[in-house]
Amino acid sequence: MGTRSWARALRENGTATQAVNFAYGVGILLAGALLFEIDISQPRGVVDGVGYSAVVLLTSRFGKRTLLIAAGITTTLTILGAALVPDAGISVAGMWANRSFALISIWAVALVMRRRMDLEEHIRQRETSHLR
């Protein structure tokens, strides 16, 4: 069975797709929790919210609403992490600079992916209307 036929069989089997989506979702949640744990256990300047944009990107599999919710949650974790990080490492101003870049990257990824989803939806609608 080739890669293409395996992927097609997975898409056509609703139960298998649900299992994969569940595993994927659990993986995303664990990745976010692990990033937060590392963020608050390391001195300022080590993590500072880096990596949350990847979590947001992975949630695009579940649609626009989930994508925006993930961006909101990771924004909250980035800001909360600043309050919980050990008082060591780079200056507070440096930490906020890093966290600002992390917030910008979270929302840049969310907005680009949302635009991509809108474009895919528009293309599907045009293809459907041309087939009628």
Side-chain angles (χ1 to χ4, degrees):
M1 183 181 272
T3 303
R4 178 177 277 169
S5 59
W6 178 82
R8 183 179 298 132
L10 183 61
R11 272 194 311 272
E12 291 171 357
N13 183 341
T15 304
T17 301
Q18 287 178 348
V20 168
N21 284 341
F22 179 77
Y24 199 80
V26 168
I28 291 169
L29 289 173
L30 290 175
L34 180 63
L35 281 170
F36 184 69
E37 174 60 31
I38 294 169
D39 189 12
I40 64 172
S41 65
Q42 298 297 312
R44 289 188 303 261
V46 175
V47 178
D48 288 345
V50 174
Y52 288 129
S53 57
V55 171
V56 172
L57 178 65
L58 292 173
T59 62
S60 65
R61 174 186 187 100
F62 300 108
K64 291 185 274 189
R65 182 173 182 210
T66 305
L67 178 79
L68 294 177
I69 290 169
I73 290 170
T74 56
T75 295
T76 302
L77 292 175
T78 301
I79 294 168
L80 183 61
L84 300 174
V85 72
D87 190 21
I90 66 171
S91 69
V92 173
M95 176 199 64
W96 279 113
N98 289 346
R99 289 187 186 276
S100 296
F101 286 119
L103 292 171
I104 290 167
S105 74
I106 287 168
W107 286 99
V109 166
L111 295 174
V112 167
M113 290 308 297
R114 178 163 180 174
R115 179 68 184 128
R116 181 177 183 270
M117 291 173 177
D118 288 342
L119 181 60
E120 288 175 350
E121 186 177 322
H122 176 74
I123 290 169
R124 272 193 303 275
Q125 288 174 352
R126 285 194 64 169
E127 288 176 348
T128 302
S129 67
H130 283 121
L131 293 175
R132 290 180 193 188

